[in-house]
Amino acid sequence: MGMLAAVILCAGCLDEEPDMPVLPPSDVVQPGQVITTTGDVTGDGIAGGTIDTLTFTVKLLPGEKPVDMERISIIYADTIKTETLIPVEGYIGDPPTSTWGIINVANQAGAPNNRLEAQEEFTIRINPKAYLPANRMITIVVRTPSGTPLTIRRIAPPAVLKENNVFIPL
């Protein structure tokens, strides 16, 4: 018990920088949320430079109604810029700058469509206008027609590769 008390008492006695504000973990499902991420958030760009596209996969939470992906909005923010991305024409395809697109559908249920249904996973790629350097925090907000938005918070990796840069969860 004496050791624990000493650790607690000394917790503030080191010369450390002040703590950063504590943000809720981004992968915790919030009340009312209807979709969530599955797998890593990755990025592609210029080796040793910046990341220009980010890719993540979403799925429906158990028991939720299908989500019409044509009615979602995606907002990207880093420490410098915030922008609302627009979907590519037809919602499917590799996105040019300032847009987002669905690049893959896993476990397709029924005929191809833009509705996220139970068991399906939609891989989304975003292409923000701002290039992203190493070690910068990002936030991606996916707003569905109803329910609490999905908020993804990550930090870019410390070294940028050409492909498959895995972002670090907060």
mmCIF file of all heavy atoms in Angstrom, residues 49 51 79 132-138 154-160 167-168:
data_model
loop_
_atom_site.group_PDB
_atom_site.id
_atom_site.type_symbol
_atom_site.label_atom_id
_atom_site.label_comp_id
_atom_site.label_asym_id
_atom_site.label_seq_id
_atom_site.Cartn_x
_atom_site.Cartn_y
_atom_site.Cartn_z
ATOM 1 N N GLY A 49 7.363 11.669 -48.236
ATOM 2 C CA GLY A 49 6.701 12.965 -48.391
ATOM 3 C C GLY A 49 5.393 13.039 -47.653
ATOM 4 O O GLY A 49 5.370 13.034 -46.421
ATOM 5 N N ILE A 51 0.935 12.025 -47.541
ATOM 6 C CA ILE A 51 -0.138 11.088 -47.869
ATOM 7 C C ILE A 51 -1.247 11.891 -48.538
ATOM 8 O O ILE A 51 -1.631 12.955 -48.056
ATOM 9 C CB ILE A 51 -0.657 10.409 -46.589
ATOM 10 C CG1 ILE A 51 0.464 9.557 -45.980
ATOM 11 C CG2 ILE A 51 -1.906 9.581 -46.875
ATOM 12 C CD1 ILE A 51 0.175 9.049 -44.587
ATOM 13 N N THR A 79 -4.969 19.166 -38.604
ATOM 14 C CA THR A 79 -4.690 20.309 -37.725
ATOM 15 C C THR A 79 -4.680 21.642 -38.467
ATOM 16 O O THR A 79 -4.613 22.689 -37.837
ATOM 17 C CB THR A 79 -3.347 20.110 -36.996
ATOM 18 O OG1 THR A 79 -2.328 19.874 -37.969
ATOM 19 C CG2 THR A 79 -3.422 18.948 -36.027
ATOM 20 N N LEU A 132 -1.139 15.315 -46.457
ATOM 21 C CA LEU A 132 -0.960 15.014 -45.047
ATOM 22 C C LEU A 132 0.471 14.564 -44.762
ATOM 23 O O LEU A 132 0.901 13.541 -45.276
ATOM 24 C CB LEU A 132 -1.951 13.912 -44.654
ATOM 25 C CG LEU A 132 -1.970 13.484 -43.206
ATOM 26 C CD1 LEU A 132 -2.467 14.618 -42.327
ATOM 27 C CD2 LEU A 132 -2.851 12.265 -43.049
ATOM 28 N N PRO A 133 1.213 15.299 -43.937
ATOM 29 C CA PRO A 133 2.561 14.869 -43.570
ATOM 30 C C PRO A 133 2.541 13.812 -42.461
ATOM 31 O O PRO A 133 1.488 13.541 -41.878
ATOM 32 C CB PRO A 133 3.218 16.163 -43.074
ATOM 33 C CG PRO A 133 2.087 16.955 -42.533
ATOM 34 C CD PRO A 133 0.882 16.607 -43.377
ATOM 35 N N ALA A 134 3.677 13.264 -42.168
ATOM 36 C CA ALA A 134 3.827 12.271 -41.093
ATOM 37 C C ALA A 134 3.425 12.894 -39.750
ATOM 38 O O ALA A 134 3.523 14.110 -39.555
ATOM 39 C CB ALA A 134 5.275 11.794 -41.033
ATOM 40 N N ASN A 135 2.969 12.045 -38.839
ATOM 41 C CA ASN A 135 2.674 12.408 -37.447
ATOM 42 C C ASN A 135 1.570 13.449 -37.238
ATOM 43 O O ASN A 135 1.476 14.029 -36.169
ATOM 44 C CB ASN A 135 3.941 12.905 -36.732
ATOM 45 C CG ASN A 135 4.942 11.801 -36.563
ATOM 46 O OD1 ASN A 135 4.607 10.695 -36.153
ATOM 47 N ND2 ASN A 135 6.185 12.084 -36.905
ATOM 48 N N ARG A 136 0.727 13.683 -38.223
ATOM 49 C CA ARG A 136 -0.352 14.663 -38.037
ATOM 50 C C ARG A 136 -1.649 13.941 -37.705
ATOM 51 O O ARG A 136 -1.977 12.924 -38.284
ATOM 52 C CB ARG A 136 -0.542 15.506 -39.292
ATOM 53 C CG ARG A 136 -1.614 16.573 -39.063
ATOM 54 C CD ARG A 136 -1.652 17.635 -40.090
ATOM 55 N NE ARG A 136 -0.457 18.454 -40.013
ATOM 56 C CZ ARG A 136 -0.099 19.301 -40.969
ATOM 57 N NH1 ARG A 136 -0.823 19.430 -42.058
ATOM 58 N NH2 ARG A 136 0.992 20.012 -40.844
ATOM 59 N N MET A 137 -2.405 14.520 -36.783
ATOM 60 C CA MET A 137 -3.694 13.944 -36.398
ATOM 61 C C MET A 137 -4.753 14.297 -37.431
ATOM 62 O O MET A 137 -4.773 15.413 -37.947
ATOM 63 C CB MET A 137 -4.130 14.461 -35.030
ATOM 64 C CG MET A 137 -5.373 13.772 -34.532
ATOM 65 S SD MET A 137 -5.816 14.288 -32.865
ATOM 66 C CE MET A 137 -7.264 15.245 -33.231
ATOM 67 N N ILE A 138 -5.623 13.322 -37.715
ATOM 68 C CA ILE A 138 -6.739 13.546 -38.624
ATOM 69 C C ILE A 138 -8.041 13.121 -37.950
ATOM 70 O O ILE A 138 -8.043 12.308 -37.034
ATOM 71 C CB ILE A 138 -6.575 12.769 -39.948
ATOM 72 C CG1 ILE A 138 -6.458 11.258 -39.681
ATOM 73 C CG2 ILE A 138 -5.389 13.265 -40.732
ATOM 74 C CD1 ILE A 138 -7.305 10.431 -40.589
ATOM 75 N N ARG A 154 -7.273 9.480 -35.982
ATOM 76 C CA ARG A 154 -6.029 8.730 -36.153
ATOM 77 C C ARG A 154 -4.864 9.708 -36.256
ATOM 78 O O ARG A 154 -5.049 10.899 -36.480
ATOM 79 C CB ARG A 154 -6.049 7.879 -37.433
ATOM 80 C CG ARG A 154 -7.121 6.795 -37.500
ATOM 81 C CD ARG A 154 -6.761 5.643 -36.581
ATOM 82 N NE ARG A 154 -7.580 4.480 -36.797
ATOM 83 C CZ ARG A 154 -8.782 4.268 -36.278
ATOM 84 N NH1 ARG A 154 -9.330 5.187 -35.514
ATOM 85 N NH2 ARG A 154 -9.433 3.157 -36.514
ATOM 86 N N ILE A 155 -3.651 9.153 -36.157
ATOM 87 C CA ILE A 155 -2.423 9.923 -36.371
ATOM 88 C C ILE A 155 -1.672 9.270 -37.517
ATOM 89 O O ILE A 155 -1.518 8.035 -37.552
ATOM 90 C CB ILE A 155 -1.556 9.961 -35.102
ATOM 91 C CG1 ILE A 155 -2.312 10.684 -33.996
ATOM 92 C CG2 ILE A 155 -0.210 10.638 -35.382
ATOM 93 C CD1 ILE A 155 -1.591 10.742 -32.663
ATOM 94 N N ALA A 156 -1.219 10.090 -38.444
ATOM 95 C CA ALA A 156 -0.434 9.583 -39.569
ATOM 96 C C ALA A 156 0.840 8.934 -39.037
ATOM 97 O O ALA A 156 1.373 9.348 -38.000
ATOM 98 C CB ALA A 156 -0.092 10.718 -40.531
ATOM 99 N N PRO A 157 1.330 7.905 -39.720
ATOM 100 C CA PRO A 157 2.540 7.223 -39.237
ATOM 101 C C PRO A 157 3.751 8.152 -39.251
ATOM 102 O O PRO A 157 3.756 9.162 -39.956
ATOM 103 C CB PRO A 157 2.704 6.060 -40.217
ATOM 104 C CG PRO A 157 1.929 6.448 -41.420
ATOM 105 C CD PRO A 157 0.829 7.346 -40.964
ATOM 106 N N PRO A 158 4.795 7.801 -38.489
ATOM 107 C CA PRO A 158 5.979 8.666 -38.399
ATOM 108 C C PRO A 158 6.804 8.707 -39.678
ATOM 109 O O PRO A 158 7.556 9.650 -39.889
ATOM 110 C CB PRO A 158 6.784 8.063 -37.245
ATOM 111 C CG PRO A 158 6.225 6.717 -37.005
ATOM 112 C CD PRO A 158 4.840 6.692 -37.549
ATOM 113 N N ALA A 159 6.692 7.702 -40.530
ATOM 114 C CA ALA A 159 7.396 7.692 -41.814
ATOM 115 C C ALA A 159 6.385 7.380 -42.904
ATOM 116 O O ALA A 159 5.585 6.457 -42.772
ATOM 117 C CB ALA A 159 8.506 6.644 -41.805
ATOM 118 N N VAL A 160 6.390 8.155 -43.985
ATOM 119 C CA VAL A 160 5.420 7.983 -45.057
ATOM 120 C C VAL A 160 5.998 7.105 -46.159
ATOM 121 O O VAL A 160 7.065 7.398 -46.705
ATOM 122 C CB VAL A 160 4.989 9.343 -45.638
ATOM 123 C CG1 VAL A 160 4.054 9.166 -46.824
ATOM 124 C CG2 VAL A 160 4.326 10.190 -44.557
ATOM 125 N N PHE A 167 -2.475 4.135 -40.196
ATOM 126 C CA PHE A 167 -2.652 5.223 -39.244
ATOM 127 C C PHE A 167 -2.791 4.657 -37.837
ATOM 128 O O PHE A 167 -3.344 3.582 -37.627
ATOM 129 C CB PHE A 167 -3.879 6.051 -39.599
ATOM 130 C CG PHE A 167 -3.617 7.013 -40.727
ATOM 131 C CD1 PHE A 167 -3.350 6.561 -42.004
ATOM 132 C CD2 PHE A 167 -3.627 8.373 -40.473
ATOM 133 C CE1 PHE A 167 -3.085 7.441 -43.030
ATOM 134 C CE2 PHE A 167 -3.366 9.267 -41.492
ATOM 135 C CZ PHE A 167 -3.096 8.792 -42.777
ATOM 136 N N ILE A 168 -2.294 5.408 -36.868
ATOM 137 C CA ILE A 168 -2.256 4.975 -35.480
ATOM 138 C C ILE A 168 -3.541 5.435 -34.779
ATOM 139 O O ILE A 168 -3.861 6.625 -34.783
ATOM 140 C CB ILE A 168 -1.027 5.580 -34.771
ATOM 141 C CG1 ILE A 168 0.254 5.166 -35.512
ATOM 142 C CG2 ILE A 168 -0.984 5.169 -33.309
ATOM 143 C CD1 ILE A 168 1.449 6.040 -35.222
#
